[in-house]
Amino acid sequence: HERRQQFEQALGEQPVWDDLAGRKSARVSFTSEFSDVTDVDQWPEMIAWLLDQHVRFRRAIQAAGGLGSLS
């Protein structure tokens, strides 16, 4: 769980961890504050949020030693 803590610290927030039974992997998810993806007026903010999450997620994976180390 040390790697998970490194990941979460680098990410700057706590994601939802879904440990997959019988496997050495987990599903990691985040929930945005956006409630309606069809609201075209919010698309620029949604895209900015997605890009920010992507960059932070990749950095957090690297800080924790890569994908294989998080299982």
Side-chain angles (χ1 to χ4, degrees):
H1 291 282
E2 181 181 333
R3 299 280 185 192
R4 283 189 183 192
Q5 290 173 340
Q6 290 173 330
F7 175 82
E8 290 173 354
Q9 184 176 13
L11 187 64
E13 67 181 279
Q14 177 128 12
V16 174
W17 291 92
D18 181 15
D19 293 317
L20 303 174
R23 299 180 67 186
K24 290 185 174 185
S25 59
R27 186 175 296 122
V28 181
S29 62
F30 306 90
T31 303
S32 77
E33 295 179 11
F34 302 105
S35 60
D36 183 7
V37 296
T38 64
D39 183 353
V40 176
D41 293 334
Q42 288 193 349
W43 281 4
E45 291 87 10
M46 290 179 196
I47 292 169
W49 181 85
L50 286 168
L51 291 172
D52 180 61
Q53 289 296 101
H54 174 77
V55 169
R56 291 174 55 227
F57 189 80
R58 289 182 57 95
R59 287 182 184 155
I61 289 172
Q62 290 173 346
L67 283 176
S69 68
L70 292 173
S71 56

mmCIF file of all heavy atoms in Angstrom, residues 34-46:
data_model
loop_
_atom_site.group_PDB
_atom_site.id
_atom_site.type_symbol
_atom_site.label_atom_id
_atom_site.label_comp_id
_atom_site.label_asym_id
_atom_site.label_seq_id
_atom_site.Cartn_x
_atom_site.Cartn_y
_atom_site.Cartn_z
ATOM 1 N N PHE A 34 -19.209 17.646 -12.963
ATOM 2 C CA PHE A 34 -20.117 17.914 -14.071
ATOM 3 C C PHE A 34 -21.263 16.908 -14.046
ATOM 4 O O PHE A 34 -21.058 15.719 -13.928
ATOM 5 C CB PHE A 34 -19.381 17.840 -15.408
ATOM 6 C CG PHE A 34 -18.229 18.799 -15.495
ATOM 7 C CD1 PHE A 34 -16.931 18.351 -15.386
ATOM 8 C CD2 PHE A 34 -18.455 20.158 -15.669
ATOM 9 C CE1 PHE A 34 -15.863 19.231 -15.456
ATOM 10 C CE2 PHE A 34 -17.399 21.044 -15.742
ATOM 11 C CZ PHE A 34 -16.097 20.576 -15.635
ATOM 12 N N SER A 35 -22.471 17.411 -14.188
ATOM 13 C CA SER A 35 -23.630 16.528 -14.096
ATOM 14 C C SER A 35 -24.286 16.232 -15.443
ATOM 15 O O SER A 35 -25.072 15.306 -15.551
ATOM 16 C CB SER A 35 -24.671 17.133 -13.152
ATOM 17 O OG SER A 35 -25.100 18.395 -13.635
ATOM 18 N N ASP A 36 -23.953 17.019 -16.463
ATOM 19 C CA ASP A 36 -24.617 16.849 -17.749
ATOM 20 C C ASP A 36 -23.610 16.996 -18.879
ATOM 21 O O ASP A 36 -23.255 18.113 -19.264
ATOM 22 C CB ASP A 36 -25.738 17.873 -17.891
ATOM 23 C CG ASP A 36 -26.536 17.710 -19.177
ATOM 24 O OD1 ASP A 36 -26.316 16.720 -19.912
ATOM 25 O OD2 ASP A 36 -27.390 18.577 -19.448
ATOM 26 N N VAL A 37 -23.158 15.869 -19.418
ATOM 27 C CA VAL A 37 -22.153 15.935 -20.482
ATOM 28 C C VAL A 37 -22.711 16.479 -21.789
ATOM 29 O O VAL A 37 -21.950 16.779 -22.710
ATOM 30 C CB VAL A 37 -21.492 14.557 -20.733
ATOM 31 C CG1 VAL A 37 -20.728 14.097 -19.522
ATOM 32 C CG2 VAL A 37 -22.503 13.529 -21.176
ATOM 33 N N THR A 38 -24.018 16.627 -21.885
ATOM 34 C CA THR A 38 -24.603 17.205 -23.103
ATOM 35 C C THR A 38 -24.689 18.723 -23.045
ATOM 36 O O THR A 38 -25.103 19.354 -24.027
ATOM 37 C CB THR A 38 -26.016 16.625 -23.359
ATOM 38 O OG1 THR A 38 -26.880 16.996 -22.297
ATOM 39 C CG2 THR A 38 -25.967 15.113 -23.498
ATOM 40 N N ASP A 39 -24.278 19.314 -21.929
ATOM 41 C CA ASP A 39 -24.300 20.776 -21.787
ATOM 42 C C ASP A 39 -23.100 21.358 -22.539
ATOM 43 O O ASP A 39 -22.004 21.473 -22.023
ATOM 44 C CB ASP A 39 -24.242 21.158 -20.305
ATOM 45 C CG ASP A 39 -24.346 22.655 -20.084
ATOM 46 O OD1 ASP A 39 -24.325 23.429 -21.073
ATOM 47 O OD2 ASP A 39 -24.439 23.055 -18.907
ATOM 48 N N VAL A 40 -23.338 21.720 -23.774
ATOM 49 C CA VAL A 40 -22.287 22.193 -24.673
ATOM 50 C C VAL A 40 -21.545 23.402 -24.100
ATOM 51 O O VAL A 40 -20.339 23.551 -24.310
ATOM 52 C CB VAL A 40 -22.882 22.522 -26.065
ATOM 53 C CG1 VAL A 40 -21.833 23.102 -26.992
ATOM 54 C CG2 VAL A 40 -23.506 21.276 -26.678
ATOM 55 N N ASP A 41 -22.228 24.233 -23.358
ATOM 56 C CA ASP A 41 -21.586 25.414 -22.782
ATOM 57 C C ASP A 41 -20.484 25.053 -21.784
ATOM 58 O O ASP A 41 -19.565 25.836 -21.557
ATOM 59 C CB ASP A 41 -22.624 26.303 -22.090
ATOM 60 C CG ASP A 41 -23.593 26.930 -23.084
ATOM 61 O OD1 ASP A 41 -23.216 27.110 -24.264
ATOM 62 O OD2 ASP A 41 -24.741 27.220 -22.674
ATOM 63 N N GLN A 42 -20.578 23.869 -21.174
ATOM 64 C CA GLN A 42 -19.567 23.442 -20.210
ATOM 65 C C GLN A 42 -18.455 22.598 -20.825
ATOM 66 O O GLN A 42 -17.519 22.222 -20.133
ATOM 67 C CB GLN A 42 -20.210 22.655 -19.071
ATOM 68 C CG GLN A 42 -21.003 23.508 -18.134
ATOM 69 C CD GLN A 42 -21.356 22.749 -16.857
ATOM 70 O OE1 GLN A 42 -21.176 21.551 -16.754
ATOM 71 N NE2 GLN A 42 -21.847 23.478 -15.892
ATOM 72 N N TRP A 43 -18.541 22.290 -22.095
ATOM 73 C CA TRP A 43 -17.535 21.437 -22.720
ATOM 74 C C TRP A 43 -16.112 21.956 -22.560
ATOM 75 O O TRP A 43 -15.207 21.173 -22.269
ATOM 76 C CB TRP A 43 -17.875 21.196 -24.186
ATOM 77 C CG TRP A 43 -18.944 20.158 -24.383
ATOM 78 C CD1 TRP A 43 -19.648 19.502 -23.418
ATOM 79 C CD2 TRP A 43 -19.436 19.677 -25.627
ATOM 80 N NE1 TRP A 43 -20.552 18.645 -23.982
ATOM 81 C CE2 TRP A 43 -20.447 18.719 -25.334
ATOM 82 C CE3 TRP A 43 -19.138 19.948 -26.943
ATOM 83 C CZ2 TRP A 43 -21.139 18.039 -26.329
ATOM 84 C CZ3 TRP A 43 -19.841 19.271 -27.933
ATOM 85 C CH2 TRP A 43 -20.814 18.326 -27.626
ATOM 86 N N PRO A 44 -15.848 23.240 -22.715
ATOM 87 C CA PRO A 44 -14.463 23.698 -22.518
ATOM 88 C C PRO A 44 -13.939 23.380 -21.110
ATOM 89 O O PRO A 44 -12.798 22.933 -20.954
ATOM 90 C CB PRO A 44 -14.537 25.207 -22.761
ATOM 91 C CG PRO A 44 -15.705 25.372 -23.679
ATOM 92 C CD PRO A 44 -16.697 24.338 -23.215
ATOM 93 N N GLU A 45 -14.780 23.575 -20.090
ATOM 94 C CA GLU A 45 -14.372 23.261 -18.718
ATOM 95 C C GLU A 45 -14.197 21.758 -18.528
ATOM 96 O O GLU A 45 -13.292 21.307 -17.838
ATOM 97 C CB GLU A 45 -15.382 23.810 -17.705
ATOM 98 C CG GLU A 45 -15.393 25.322 -17.607
ATOM 99 C CD GLU A 45 -16.316 25.974 -18.637
ATOM 100 O OE1 GLU A 45 -17.101 25.267 -19.304
ATOM 101 O OE2 GLU A 45 -16.236 27.197 -18.783
ATOM 102 N N MET A 46 -15.064 20.977 -19.147
ATOM 103 C CA MET A 46 -14.972 19.524 -19.053
ATOM 104 C C MET A 46 -13.678 19.023 -19.684
ATOM 105 O O MET A 46 -12.979 18.174 -19.124
ATOM 106 C CB MET A 46 -16.163 18.849 -19.731
ATOM 107 C CG MET A 46 -17.466 19.018 -19.022
ATOM 108 S SD MET A 46 -18.776 18.178 -19.958
ATOM 109 C CE MET A 46 -20.219 18.914 -19.227
#
